Amino acid sequence: MAVSTTHRRPGTLTRPGSRRPAWPGLWHFLTFAAPGTLVYTCLVLLPIAMSVGYSLTNQALLRPNTRFVGLRNYELLFRDETFLSSLRVTTILTLIVVIVPNVLGVAVAVVLDRRGWLYNALRSVFFTPMVISSVVISVIWTRVLADDGPINQGLRALGVAEPPGWLSDPDIALYSLSSIVCWQMLGFCVVVYLAGLQGVPQELAEAAAIDGAGPLRRFWKVTWPLLAPALTINTVVLLISAFKIFDHVKVITNGGPGTGTTASVAFVVLQEGFVENRTGYASAEAVVMLVVIAALSVVTLRILQRREVQL
Amino acid sequence: MSGSRLPWVRPLVALVIGAVFFVPLYIALINVFKASGQVARDTMSLPDPPTLDNLTRVLTDPGSLFWPSLRTSVVVTSLSIVILTLLSAMLGHYLARHTQWWSRAVMVLLLCGLMIPPQVILIPVTQVLKSLGLMSTLQGLILFNVGYYVPFGVFVFSGFMKGIPRELEEAAAIDGATRWQTFWRVVFPLLRPATASVLIFLGVWIWNDFLNPLIIYGPREGTTIMTGVYKSLGQYAADFGGMFALMFLATLPILVFYLLLQKQFVKGLTGGATKG
């Protein structure tokens, strides 16, 4: 209530020529809040509801009459080898992409946590991949990891007769793909950890040093606990971006090599929905994807924030 | 500290890590200026002799998707980020200043939007846009960008609003300004650092976006710069030099935009700090 009174202009009621309508709150809502809310509702909230609706039908492009099939799509999903394999692929991708850039990010941030032109320049280097499109990143890495690319040329020069097919070997391709995503996300983690390190009071580390703690011990007991908010941000951002990885898969491997060795859930949903045109079934996959990402984010956020509060 | 005993260790370690990390970017950069034959033979070496052939080929080839898709991307990105900044600044301001339950509920619904993968909603979004007659149009793509990224803008602006004293708005109201005038003349100029970061992030994301333009704008109608790069992959299959040149030209505008605004962003931050 206090809010609307603070905005009320003195003299509004006594001035008949005022453009202020009878419901000032409503007018304020319509001009400031309604446009954004409306677009968001129509293009995000409504589509989520529609996805749930579609997922209960057998809708498909070439099927003339769509009908309600209840939970049939969901039953089929958990017997569908393509979908189950995409869950496995996404789990591996997510684990690697959440852990590796976090670990490397802290390490690089600790090294770069100094003033000076060299460190400033290096920060820019680490952040550059974040500004470059995943499509471009993917093409660059496709060339770097090609069978006759620079890495394998180097390995051959070192005497390795048969260097690995980084992107063509079904056993390795998923890990190569994960590494590329890690490389791209590393800069973001470094920047967030650097910001976190600037918030660590120098006195604390000095006090610990006087008490006889070595560099490693100082890091674990003083610095790392104070980086908890940075860890939360990085983990949640990495989790969400790992879950929607599509561009890299599409450009680098198109789901292969072999059948579905790198096909993530995000890739399979779009494949079913826009290539196979099985809208109802793809929507069921999308709903499962949404539920999993929501549950994972909430649980991760809870766990990591509890850690922050205890400090 | 080991750093104080061996002062050269830290810069050396930093340089080595930076160099290893930079290798793929180095490869992308040098191969723009190499003859295509040399790219395949030795990808790592410096161009010998350096050539601008690849760039001129991409820029002048009449069959190249570069110019039309550049135009499309400039239009889509600039319109999207301007509309997004205006709408999310107003909505963020409204939600930061109204703390009733329904306003908090709107906030929570918006924050949920931050984590929704586009794949989950794209199928129904095509239906919504079809029914509006906006499927496969630039307007449709811009409208979707606005809806999809509004949560991020609101998140940044409403967070930033907490640092702006309410008294400023009250003073303007006492001086006879309407809410509209108060917002645009008093509040919005103070939001400049937030505006800069919203413009940077959304500009980079929308420019680099691949999936949404592919589904919403293409494949029939046209391409943005990144779907253009993707579609050119086949055309440049044997022409690595051309491929790297196209990717260089597609990245350059957003890199320049990022560097320009990054300065503005820092200026805004330090300007506010000294005044504070």
Side-chain angles (χ1 to χ4, degrees):
Chain A
M1 251 11 260
V3 177
S4 58
T5 48
T6 55
H7 280 284
R8 190 168 295 148
R9 200 149 47 101
T12 305
L13 297 173
T14 54
R15 199 183 301 167
S18 167
R19 281 180 292 126
R20 181 71 52 91
W23 273 3
L26 181 70
W27 182 244
H28 189 199
F29 176 81
L30 285 179
T31 48
F32 276 77
T37 316
L38 184 72
V39 182
Y40 178 68
T41 309
C42 291
L43 288 151
V44 177
L45 294 182
L46 176 69
I48 292 176
M50 287 166 76
S51 271
V52 176
Y54 288 170
S55 75
L56 304 173
T57 69
N58 66 351
Q59 193 178 28
L61 191 68
L62 294 173
R63 190 172 287 138
N65 39 4
T66 299
R67 64 190 169 78
F68 181 79
V69 295
L71 296 175
R72 178 104 184 97
N73 285 329
Y74 293 93
E75 276 171 48
L76 289 174
L77 265 187
F78 290 98
R79 273 181 271 140
D80 177 350
E81 191 38 52
T82 308
F83 184 69
L84 293 179
S85 137
S86 76
L87 284 181
R88 272 195 298 276
V89 165
T90 301
T91 307
I92 296 174
L93 256 176
T94 307
L95 279 175
I96 298 177
V97 168
V98 168
I99 295 170
V100 175
N102 255 322
V103 173
L104 293 181
V106 179
V108 174
V110 167
V111 173
L112 292 190
D113 186 29
R114 281 287 186 283
R115 283 166 190 279
W117 64 268
L118 174 67
Y119 302 105
N120 286 339
L122 285 172
R123 275 175 220 186
S124 309
V125 168
F126 279 93
F127 205 69
T128 317
M130 289 296 297
V131 188
I132 301 178
S133 162
S134 327
V135 175
V136 171
I137 299 276
S138 300
V139 178
I140 296 174
W141 275 97
T142 305
R143 181 66 207 138
V144 172
L145 295 175
D147 288 339
D148 61 343
I151 289 193
N152 279 0
Q153 280 177 3
L155 285 176
R156 283 198 189 91
L158 289 173
V160 181
E162 276 187 44
W166 301 107
L167 298 170
S168 55
D169 183 339
D171 295 330
I172 305 178
L174 180 56
Y175 300 98
S176 306
L177 196 82
S178 314
S179 314
I180 297 169
V181 181
C182 291
W183 178 81
Q184 194 176 4
M185 296 303 292
L186 180 60
F188 179 82
C189 291
V190 170
V191 169
V192 173
Y193 279 122
L194 273 172
L197 283 173
Q198 275 157 18
V200 176
Q202 209 54 50
E203 301 81 46
L204 276 180
E206 281 162 15
I210 292 165
D211 291 345
L216 262 184
R217 204 177 152 79
R218 279 206 301 275
F219 178 78
W220 280 115
K221 296 292 175 189
V222 181
T223 312
W224 179 239
L226 288 170
L227 287 178
L231 175 70
T232 310
I233 295 173
N234 280 338
T235 304
V236 172
V237 167
L238 288 170
L239 188 71
I240 293 170
S241 27
F243 220 77
K244 52 181 168 195
I245 288 173
F246 167 81
D247 302 7
H248 305 79
V249 178
K250 183 75 184 168
V251 176
I252 301 176
T253 60
N254 205 15
T259 41
T261 48
T262 57
S264 61
V265 177
F267 181 80
V268 167
V269 169
L270 292 172
Q271 202 74 9
E272 282 289 348
F274 291 101
V275 181
E276 312 285 330
N277 283 310
R278 294 169 70 194
T279 323
Y281 190 68
S283 297
E285 292 178 334
V287 171
V288 172
M289 185 177 169
L290 183 65
V291 170
V292 174
I293 186 75
L296 273 180
S297 320
V298 170
V299 170
T300 314
L301 210 57
R302 278 276 157 81
I303 293 173
L304 289 173
Q305 278 180 339
R306 192 170 303 156
R307 203 173 146 258
E308 285 172 32
V309 172
Q310 280 174 348
L311 292 168
Chain B
M1 243 189 185
S2 59
S4 49
R5 260 176 283 140
L6 296 166
W8 47 270
V9 168
R10 183 184 290 266
L12 189 71
V13 170
L15 259 179
V16 170
I17 300 176
V20 171
F21 184 84
F22 190 71
V23 167
L25 296 175
Y26 161 83
I27 287 175
L29 201 60
I30 53 160
N31 285 319
V32 173
F33 305 101
K34 269 189 214 169
S36 275
Q38 205 202 345
V39 179
R41 253 192 343 270
D42 42 4
T43 318
M44 294 291 287
S45 61
L46 285 168
D48 177 37
T51 167
L52 292 177
D53 282 358
N54 297 319
L55 292 171
T56 46
R57 196 154 13 109
V58 172
L59 290 172
T60 55
D61 177 11
S64 159
L65 285 170
F66 179 71
W67 289 110
S69 55
L70 181 77
R71 211 193 101 251
T72 309
S73 265
V74 169
V75 171
V76 168
T77 308
S78 50
L79 281 178
S80 296
I81 62 178
V82 168
I83 297 172
L84 270 164
T85 303
L86 301 183
L87 290 192
S88 51
M90 290 193 291
L91 181 53
H93 173 253
Y94 186 91
L95 292 177
R97 291 293 189 243
H98 289 76
T99 43
Q100 291 92 336
W101 68 267
W102 48 266
S103 151
R104 273 194 221 134
V106 172
M107 196 68 185
V108 170
L109 278 179
L110 280 168
L111 291 183
C112 291
L114 283 176
M115 61 166 206
I116 289 163
Q119 292 89 355
V120 169
I121 51 176
L122 269 175
I123 296 170
V125 160
T126 59
Q127 295 300 320
V128 171
L129 289 175
K130 257 180 212 154
S131 65
L132 293 172
L134 292 175
M135 190 60 189
S136 301
T137 65
L138 282 183
Q139 296 91 310
L141 180 55
I142 293 168
L143 192 68
F144 177 70
N145 281 339
V146 172
Y148 186 70
Y149 290 115
V150 117
F152 177 78
V154 169
F155 178 69
V156 173
F157 279 116
S158 67
F160 199 83
M161 281 302 302
K162 285 176 195 135
I164 295 180
R166 206 181 274 258
E167 288 76 20
L168 276 178
E169 290 167 60
E170 286 163 13
I174 290 168
D175 288 345
T178 61
R179 282 204 178 102
W180 190 254
Q181 291 165 331
T182 307
F183 181 73
W184 292 113
R185 301 218 188 134
V186 180
V187 181
F188 191 67
L190 290 170
L191 294 173
R192 222 173 70 177
T195 304
S197 54
V198 167
L199 285 175
I200 290 175
F201 275 102
L202 294 178
V204 168
W205 289 341
I206 292 171
W207 183 270
N208 287 340
D209 195 5
F210 166 58
L211 173 60
N212 298 326
L214 183 73
I215 304 265
I216 293 176
Y217 186 47
R220 273 164 295 146
E221 290 303 319
T223 51
T224 60
I225 196 90
M226 289 311 155
T227 49
V229 168
Y230 177 69
K231 283 181 184 171
S232 307
L233 285 178
Q235 182 193 339
Y236 288 107
D239 177 8
F240 290 121
M243 189 68 242
F244 281 110
L246 176 62
M247 296 197 305
F248 175 76
L249 290 170
T251 308
L252 201 59
I254 197 66
L255 213 59
V256 170
F257 171 82
Y258 168 75
L259 293 173
L260 286 179
L261 266 186
Q262 199 192 24
K263 263 185 199 160
Q264 183 73 15
F265 176 63
V266 173
K267 229 186 273 172
L269 279 179
T270 49
T274 48
K275 263 179 249 153

